[in-house]
Amino acid sequence: MPGSWVALLFACLAFTPSLLPRGGPFQGFVSGLSAAIGYGLGCLGAWLWREFADRPARTPRRRAWQGFFIAAAVALTGALLLGWHWQQRLRELMGMPSPGRAGYLLAPFVAAVFFFVTIAMARGLRGASRALATWLSRHIGPRAARVTSGLAVVALTALVASGLLWDGLISAADRTLAVQDSMTDEGVVPPRTALRSGGPGSRSPWEFLGREGRNFIGRGPSVEELSRFHGTAVKEPIRAYAGFASAPDAEARAALAVDDLERAGGFDRAYLLVVTTTGSGWVVPEAVDAFEYMTGGDSAIVAMQYSHLWSWLSVLVDQERARESGRALFDEVYERWSRLPPGHRPKLLVFGESLGSYGGETAFSGERDMANRTDGVLFVGPPNFNTLYRAFTDHRDPGSPEVEPIYHQGRIVRFSRRPGTNIPPASEPWGDSRVLYLLHPSDPIIWWSPRLLVKRPDWLREPRGDDVLDQMVWIPFVTFWQVTADLPLGMEVPAGHGHVYTAEHVDGWAALLRPEGWSADKTARLRDLLLAR
C-alpha cells in the first residue's frame, strides 16, 4: 500500500511540464517508469519504518484498496488533463502544431505496461535473492544468508546491467552506426577541387572521411553563391577533415587533418576555424556556412571525427574521446599556426556545439588562455558537465541568472539566449578576443545533471526562460528523470528551441568576427537564408 501511494504520486508528477513537449506514448513511458521508481521508494520507506519501529507488515484492508483506486482514478484523470493543457501551452511557446487528443490518451495505457513490466522484473530479482538465501541458509546463519544473497543479486544485476546490457547496447550502436558511416547521402559527391579533403592531392581519402565528413566536405556554399551574396568575386573556402577510420588515434587523426589543411593553403587565409565535432563527426552546417559567408570565403575550416554515436548518446558515454579529440586538434593547429610570422597568421577561431563544446574547452585552462591563444571562441549548447562552462556559471556575478549569466562583467566570456540583441552586459566593454556561449532555456543538454536528483538548480529557482513554462518546478528524483527523457527530444523541436540552433550562429559570428563592411542588413539576409534551408 505505501508503495502504491508513492507510485501514484510519482505517476501524477510525471505529467508536470518539462523542457520539451511530448507525444502520448512517450509521456506514458516516462510516467510508467516514474511510477515504478516511486513504488520502489515507497516500499523501501515502509520497510525501513517497520524495521525501526519493530513492527510486522500488515495486510491492507479491502476498504483501503477501494479508497486507493478511487483516489488513483481521480488523480490520474486530473494529471492527464493538466498534462494535456501544459503540453499544449509548451507547443504554443515553440510554435509546434497539436498532435491531437487521441494520441495523448494512450499515455495511461503505455504507463501501465511499463510500470508492471518494471515491477515484475524487480520482483523476479527479489525472488532470486530469496531462493539464494534459502540455499545459503543450509551452510551459514539465516541473517548472513539474507545479507549475502541480497548483496550478490545486487552486484550481479549491476554487473549485468552495466557490463553486458549497457556496454552491449553501446557496442551494438557503435557497430551499427559504423556501418552507416560507410554510406554516402544522396547528392554528396567527391570534390573536384584541391581545396577540400577527399579531392585531388588530398591526404585524407574520400572513402575514409565517414558519412558526416563527406557531408561536410561535399556541401556548403559554392563560390557562386558566396559571390552572389556579397555582390563581388570571392575566394573559394577551404575545408579539411579526417574521419574516424583515417588514423588509429586522436593525435594521428589531428595530424592528418592539419596536414591536409596546410596542403590546401589553409594557413594563408584570413580566417582559420577549428571545429570540434559532435560524436558522429557531425559539423553543424549552419555554423560553418555562416562563417564562410561572413568571411567572404577567405577562410579555412578543419575538423575530425572521434566516434560513431549520436550526439545525445555521446554526451553520456563518449566524453573522454571528445576531450582527446578537441585537445589534439587545437594543439596541432596552434603549434603550426604559432610558427608563422605574427603578421602572416590568420585569425584563429574555435567552434564547438553540444559535446563539441566540451571537447573544444579541454584545449584551454580558462578565459585568459582562450583570449591569449585565439581571436574568438563560439560554443553552442554546452553540456552541463563542461568544465569551463560550469566554472563560469558557478562563479557568475551576483544577481545574474543561470540561464544567461554574466562572468567578470563580460570582459572576455559572455552568454546569450538571443545573440541578435544586445549581449549582456551591453554597457560594459568587450575585448577584441571574445568568447561567446549560446544557450536555449529549453535545451536539456545544458541542464541535465545528476545533481537534479536531490538538489534544485538555480535555473528553476529564478524566473524561467522565455520558452519554459512557469509551471515547471523541481521535484526530487522526478525532475532528473524528466530532463533525462528530454535528451533524445532535443532535436525534435523547431529552430530556436531545445537543442536546435540555426540562425543564432549568424548573430554569434557577427558578434565575434565583426568583419569590415559587414552590416545588420547582411546579418538579417544571412539569417533568413539559413532558416530557409
Side-chain angles (χ1 to χ4, degrees), residues 46-208:
W47 176 78
L48 290 173
W49 168 255
R50 290 196 302 268
E51 291 298 308
F52 278 104
D54 195 22
R55 294 179 180 177
R58 293 181 295 179
T59 302
R61 297 178 181 178
R62 184 178 180 182
R63 286 185 178 179
W65 282 115
Q66 289 176 340
F68 168 78
F69 286 124
I70 293 172
V74 173
L76 288 173
T77 300
L80 187 65
L81 293 174
L82 283 172
W84 167 257
H85 170 69
W86 287 322
Q87 291 295 321
Q88 291 302 100
R89 287 196 56 203
L90 198 52
R91 289 177 180 276
E92 290 171 4
L93 281 179
M94 299 187 181
M96 297 176 67
S98 171
R101 290 188 177 88
Y104 200 75
L105 292 177
L106 291 173
F109 303 101
V110 176
V113 170
F114 277 99
F115 173 75
F116 287 115
V117 168
T118 305
I119 297 304
M121 292 171 61
R123 289 187 172 178
L125 293 175
R126 185 179 65 182
S129 176
R130 288 176 174 175
L132 181 59
T134 301
W135 181 79
L136 288 174
S137 63
R138 302 171 186 170
H139 308 282
I140 59 179
R143 288 187 177 179
R146 287 196 299 270
V147 173
T148 303
S149 65
L151 292 175
V153 169
V154 169
L156 182 61
T157 302
L159 287 173
V160 170
S162 62
L164 295 180
L165 293 180
W166 180 249
D167 290 348
L169 287 171
I170 297 302
S171 298
D174 193 67
R175 289 192 299 271
T176 301
L177 295 173
V179 173
Q180 291 188 10
D181 219 25
S182 63
M183 302 175 183
T184 302
D185 289 355
E186 185 178 354
V188 177
V189 297
R192 298 178 180 178
T193 172
L195 298 182
R196 299 205 173 197
S197 295
S202 173
R203 298 175 186 177
S204 291
W206 176 256
E207 59 270 19
F208 289 159

Side-chain angles (χ1 to χ4, degrees), residues 396-410:
R396 63 189 182 274
D397 295 351
S400 64
E402 188 174 12
V403 293
E404 199 170 44
I406 296 174
Y407 180 73
H408 287 175
Q409 292 81 49

Side-chain angles (χ1 to χ4, degrees), residues 404-421:
E404 199 170 44
I406 296 174
Y407 180 73
H408 287 175
Q409 292 81 49
R411 61 186 183 186
I412 296 173
V413 179
R414 296 198 178 187
F415 302 81
S416 179
R417 290 181 275 180
R418 302 195 179 281
T421 59

Side-chain angles (χ1 to χ4, degrees), residues 387-398 400 405-409 415 458:
T387 305
L388 295 182
Y389 165 71
R390 195 68 263 152
F392 298 150
T393 303
D394 290 343
H395 297 92
R396 63 189 182 274
D397 295 351
S400 64
I406 296 174
Y407 180 73
H408 287 175
Q409 292 81 49
F415 302 81
D458 289 344

